[in-house]
Amino acid sequence: MSVPDPAPLAAPAWPADPLQAAGAAAAYALDAWQRCVLYADVRRRRGNQYRAHLREKAPNVLNFPAEPVMSGLDLPRPVNYALLRIVPPVHAAEDPDKRPFVVVDPRAGHGPGIGGFKPDSEIGAALAAGHPCYFVGFLPDPVPGQTVEDVMHAEAAFVRRVAERHPRSCGKPAVIGNCQAGWQVLMTAAVWPELFGPIILAGAPLSYWAGDNPMRYGGGLVGGSWLTALTGDLGAGRFDGAWLVQNFENLDPANTLWSKQYHLYANVDSEGPRYLAFEKYWGGYVFLEDVEMQTIVDDLFIGNRLATAELVTREGVRIDLRNVRSPIVVFCSYGDNITPPAQALGWITDLYRNDEDVAGHDQTIVFSTHDSIGHLGIFVSASVGRKEHREFASNIELIDMLPAGVYRAEIEDRPEDAPPGDPAGDAYRMTVRRSGVDEVRGIVRPDPADERRFAAAANVSRIGLALYRNLFQPWVRAMVTPTGARWLQSLHPLRIGYEAWSDTHPAASLIAALAEGVRTHRLPIAADHPLLQLQEALSHSIETALDRYRDGRDQWQAIAFDTIYGSPLMQALAGFATGRSEPVRPHPGDSPEHRRWLADALGQARVRIASGGPVEAGVRAMLYVLGPRGRVDECLYHHAARLVSEHLDATDRASLRQTVRTQALLMRLDADAAVAAIPALLAASPPTSREAAAQRIGELAESAGPLSAEERRRLGRVLPLFTATRPARARTPAPAAATTDRAKTKVPRKKRRTGSPAAAGPRTPPAAPKPVRRRTPRRPGAG
């Protein structure tokens, strides 16, 4: 994308009097010199902060007090993770009956704490909504030999411990995974789905081949993951997270080389505290075990195997994201050049062909996109914390109650004509509307030719890694010592900037004294000073030049990657014959066994159309009446929750959620038969109860806002079914015969165990969950 030319600036008004011009120049020179001194002093304090941060036993940038709950070092397979409880502020009342939140920070080279970096953050939003809140952080150094699977076991143990601490909670813990913690959380939930409540993925990359961000070309252009192995070997078994941070820095050279530093210089009187707070996080580099990093690069970054259920644990359990039983909320942004929406949502089109496939696996997916916020802004922006994260937290029960399917969440300003009793008292209102796989596909734009190129790069990477391990790795490991590795790490380009300028430098005391004098006798110039306007214009020109360099570089990398890995010769060397149209990655739902399983489960689901009682009848009626609307907002949900709490005392939340999902599936299968069966569901209810239920349904329908003509027609159809004195006998539909025809495959619902029969094996989590009784046929393995 080309950068537009900067808008022409009007010539600054310069004094006509030579003496006035000389005075203006002198004032600017003095101001510039004072800014330089203050800038150097802030950078000196940055170096001191960096050194003090490294000396901390458990460094983090949390803005909230916390107390330790559980250490990953005490687990059978120890890891450098820990579970903390966030101590709520005095003004925030914690409700023990609300579901707890667990915020998991990304381990992508930086230190932990970004989820609670500011009061308006993910943690702050959860606390403001009254939820108990927990934080999963990590230590700078990994446990030798720890793996990605060990971290999964630890996260499962943490979520289990949180649930044990809140037995009165209305639901299972809600878990927020930021960036790379997102795919880690989702992998854990795919293996232990019974532990998790709603899952929020913020800027989490799950389908690395999708989108158009330049980072996805890096692995192929350097020949694959052999460089990752070399970096881990040079670190004596540890991968320096500063290399990951440098990859992020390289994405935006204008910000890295100029804008961030110039912004501090230009606003040095007020920008220092914010700059130092961010640099404490940005420069808090941590390490990953080389085995961990190699798995991440080979299986996720280059191999892209998570989104198609190709990963299998050491216990033989397939990591299939379709096993996740909790609602999955995906929050991404078009301004994110690290995890664009296509990369955050591509796993949906990788796993599911259509909406029926999503409903058939009983999965609820909600996605929300932001127009402009950058990657870090998703976690640290106060505006996002006050809006998106606060709305997700305050409406987590609405999200948890959604039936299976794909939805889009839209957060808008609260309407001025909102009723006085509207529980949504903040400035925004969240609406969830029905979406689908086709809408997601329009965002992701899958490209089979592009996938073939990335598949060729993945095969080349495996060959290059094998050559390195067999020919060079033994020699490198023999030459590297722990002392030499530490010296190499201290000489990393990003670390040098922090370590070279601090109080250890001989000139630091002089700068500190000068800065103190400058702050006492500061003489800033006016914002409309002509030389200051020229300074701003020069800065803008530098930014534009660097942006053009970035765009040209990214375009060149994309062309080079496509040329190299799209050539018939390279694809043939990588094992792909030209002229073949079959996909390079098998779709996990295309096997005949899988289609047969869907058809068999459908036959059992249809039998339940005539099963249930008044609760099922009421839920079925409301789904039918408001079905044409295709959306629900938090106002309608709160009205429904109030009616349920007043009149359905015997129905706990978990049972009600299951009832809603079951009835939504039956309405999707055969709405006419499901509505016709309502009188049979009410046969054992006295007339007064049926009349009261009809009244509540009418009240809830009216609370949803003005009804359309179709909605009023449907309401007029179902209300007489509740007040009929002699309920009709419902016809039970015959079970659907098993078939392998995709066009006839419907959408069953069932509760599955984790893993697939094709890859079943013993599993040893920290505490084995109680097995769940199977009610539907077992789904065959992925692929």
Side-chain angles (χ1 to χ4, degrees):
M1 181 180 65
S2 62
V3 177
D5 292 331
L9 298 177
W14 191 254
D17 187 349
L19 292 179
Q20 290 182 352
Y28 174 81
L30 177 61
D31 176 73
W33 177 79
Q34 289 183 333
R35 288 177 189 271
C36 288
V37 173
L38 295 177
Y39 172 83
D41 187 63
V42 173
R43 299 275 290 184
R44 175 189 64 84
R45 289 154 58 194
R46 185 188 79 144
N48 295 340
Q49 176 182 267
Y50 168 81
R51 291 178 176 274
H53 197 57
L54 291 182
R55 290 192 295 268
E56 296 178 13
K57 183 179 180 180
N60 64 75
V61 292
L62 275 176
N63 196 45
F64 299 88
E67 57 186 26
V69 175
M70 186 176 180
S71 173
L73 298 175
D74 299 330
L75 296 173
R77 295 278 300 181
V79 296
N80 64 331
Y81 281 74
L83 175 67
L84 308 176
R85 173 184 172 268
I86 301 298
V87 179
V90 177
H91 62 274
E94 182 180 290
D95 187 347
D97 292 337
K98 287 191 173 183
R99 73 170 73 238
F101 270 67
V102 181
V103 177
V104 185
D105 256 20
R107 190 155 151 256
H110 316 88
I114 198 66
F117 183 61
K118 296 180 179 179
D120 289 315
S121 61
E122 294 162 336
I123 290 178
L127 292 175
H131 295 272
C133 195
Y134 293 81
F135 174 76
V136 175
F138 43 85
L139 300 175
D141 298 302
V143 176
Q146 81 176 41
T147 65
V148 170
E149 289 186 34
D150 295 333
V151 177
M152 290 170 55
H153 280 265
E155 290 181 348
F158 293 158
V159 175
R160 186 179 293 108
R161 176 64 63 85
V162 170
E164 292 171 352
R165 289 170 60 93
H166 297 274
R168 295 170 49 192
S169 169
C170 65
K172 299 174 183 177
V175 182
I176 302 176
N178 292 320
C179 190
Q180 293 197 36
W183 57 255
Q184 187 83 64
V185 165
L186 211 58
M187 289 170 65
T188 307
V191 179
W192 294 278
E194 68 278 0
L195 301 177
F196 288 78
I199 298 171
I200 300 176
L201 308 178
L206 289 164
S207 189
Y208 289 84
W209 293 358
D212 54 4
N213 61 321
M215 286 189 71
R216 65 185 190 140
Y217 301 116
L221 293 177
V222 299
S225 66
W226 68 271
L227 191 58
T228 303
L230 173 62
T231 306
D233 291 337
L234 292 176
R238 298 194 311 171
F239 186 94
D240 189 355
W243 291 110
L244 297 176
V245 179
Q246 189 173 55
N247 288 337
F248 301 147
E249 294 271 20
N250 291 338
L251 286 174
D252 192 357
N255 181 72
T256 300
L257 300 176
W258 180 258
S259 302
K260 182 167 66 172
Q261 314 308 330
Y262 174 76
H263 184 70
L264 172 62
Y265 167 76
N267 304 276
V268 71
D269 296 303
S270 59
E271 185 65 12
R274 191 209 64 83
Y275 177 85
L276 291 174
F278 179 78
E279 288 295 301
K280 183 178 182 180
Y281 163 73
W282 195 248
Y285 308 122
V286 298
F287 295 89
L288 291 88
E289 191 70 1
D290 58 352
V291 179
E292 284 183 283
M293 195 65 217
Q294 197 68 46
T295 299
I296 293 170
V297 173
D298 287 338
D299 291 341
L300 301 178
F301 292 172
I302 297 179
N304 199 25
R305 302 176 63 200
L306 173 62
T308 48
E310 298 176 66
L311 299 180
V312 180
T313 69
R314 58 174 173 259
E315 290 91 0
V317 178
R318 185 174 296 277
I319 302 177
D320 188 342
L321 300 185
R322 296 173 299 176
N323 286 342
V324 179
R325 297 276 63 81
S326 309
I328 302 172
V329 181
V330 181
F331 179 41
C332 50
S333 172
Y334 286 101
D336 186 349
N337 62 348
I338 295 176
T339 307
Q343 204 172 74
L345 299 170
W347 63 278
I348 301 173
T349 57
D350 286 341
L351 287 175
Y352 299 112
R353 296 295 193 194
N354 48 46
D355 297 334
E356 286 72 23
D357 208 7
V358 177
H361 289 85
D362 195 26
Q363 192 158 82
T364 302
I365 303 170
V366 182
F367 70 95
S368 178
T369 59
H370 195 281
D371 292 335
S372 59
I373 199 72
H375 184 70
L376 285 176
I378 292 177
F379 323 125
V380 305
S381 172
S383 62
V384 173
R386 287 190 298 268
K387 187 176 181 181
E388 280 82 3
H389 290 305
R390 186 155 295 194
E391 287 300 302
F392 291 147
S394 61
N395 292 286
I396 199 67
E397 304 306 331
L398 182 158
I399 294 171
D400 190 43
M401 197 63 67
L402 291 173
V406 179
Y407 302 86
R408 185 162 192 163
E410 298 169 339
I411 300 174
E412 301 172 345
D413 293 339
R414 185 169 179 258
E416 296 181 358
D417 58 348
D422 187 355
D426 59 4
Y428 305 103
R429 172 179 289 181
M430 188 177 80
T431 300
V432 180
R433 67 169 175 84
R434 187 183 301 116
S435 180
V437 174
D438 287 340
E439 184 175 357
V440 174
R441 188 174 289 113
I443 297 174
V444 177
R445 300 193 303 274
D447 183 357
D450 210 24
E451 292 227 343
R452 291 182 69 84
R453 289 189 285 267
F454 279 98
N459 283 358
V460 169
S461 175
R462 283 191 285 269
I463 295 171
L465 180 61
L467 289 173
Y468 169 77
R469 283 177 169 169
N470 285 284
L471 299 179
F472 301 103
Q473 191 175 62
W475 297 93
V476 175
R477 288 185 171 180
M479 291 187 294
V480 173
T481 64
T483 302
R486 284 195 294 271
W487 273 101
L488 286 176
Q489 290 158 4
S490 64
L491 294 175
H492 189 282
L494 294 186
R495 292 182 186 273
I496 289 177
Y498 290 90
E499 296 186 354
W501 180 234
S502 66
D503 280 346
T504 59
H505 194 280
S509 59
L510 174 61
I511 293 298
L514 284 174
E516 189 63 30
V518 166
R519 279 189 285 268
T520 304
H521 304 91
R522 180 77 172 98
L523 294 174
I525 58 177
D528 60 349
H529 193 286
L531 289 179
L532 190 60
Q533 293 179 10
L534 287 175
Q535 172 189 301
E536 291 289 335
L538 177 61
S539 173
H540 183 70
S541 298
I542 294 174
E543 290 179 356
T544 301
L546 289 172
D547 284 342
R548 286 178 172 172
Y549 157 74
R550 176 203 62 200
D551 294 341
R553 178 203 63 188
D554 294 347
Q555 187 176 15
W556 174 86
Q557 288 180 344
I559 293 173
F561 182 91
D562 292 348
T563 302
I564 294 171
Y565 293 103
S567 68
L569 176 60
M570 180 59 74
Q571 294 206 355
L573 292 174
F576 298 107
T578 58
R580 303 291 295 274
S581 59
E582 69 272 8
V584 294
R585 292 188 298 165
H587 193 279
D590 278 348
S591 67
E593 295 82 6
H594 184 82
R595 292 194 294 269
R596 189 179 306 114
W597 168 82
L598 285 174
D600 290 343
L602 172 62
Q604 291 195 14
R606 292 178 66 89
V607 174
R608 290 179 289 178
I609 285 182
S611 301
V615 175
E616 287 77 8
V619 171
R620 192 177 298 184
M622 286 309 307
L623 291 171
Y624 176 71
V625 172
L626 298 180
R629 182 163 303 194
R631 63 175 57 222
V632 59
D633 60 27
E634 53 188 288
C635 179
L636 174 60
Y637 169 76
H638 285 301
H639 280 294
R642 177 176 56 81
L643 287 176
V644 167
S645 62
E646 291 175 358
H647 302 286
L648 298 178
D649 298 334
T651 304
D652 64 341
R653 180 167 190 84
S655 299
L656 180 60
R657 178 178 184 269
Q658 188 63 29
T659 298
V660 171
R661 297 175 72 84
T662 299
Q663 300 308 311
L665 172 65
L666 296 179
M667 294 296 294
R668 181 189 288 265
L669 291 177
D670 193 339
D672 289 336
V675 172
I678 288 178
L681 306 186
L682 299 170
S685 301
T688 54
S689 298
R690 295 200 300 271
E691 292 175 0
Q695 181 179 355
R696 291 193 294 271
I697 291 172
E699 179 184 344
L700 183 56
E702 294 295 340
S703 69
L707 298 179
S708 66
E710 173 62 17
E711 289 169 342
R712 288 206 174 275
R713 185 193 69 79
R714 294 189 175 203
L715 182 62
R717 177 186 175 186
V718 298
L719 289 183
L721 300 179
F722 282 79
T723 57
T725 56
R726 296 178 58 86
R729 185 181 182 86
R731 175 179 57 86
T732 302
T739 178
T740 59
D741 185 0
R742 276 185 65 89
K744 296 181 180 179
T745 301
K746 299 292 184 180
V747 285
R749 237 187 102 265
K750 78 183 193 74
K751 188 163 184 156
R752 302 185 306 281
R753 296 183 183 140
T754 58
S756 68
R763 185 175 69 180
T764 57
K770 184 178 179 180
V772 180
R773 192 174 197 180
R774 188 177 302 278
R775 295 186 177 182
T776 56
R778 194 172 187 178
R779 179 172 63 82

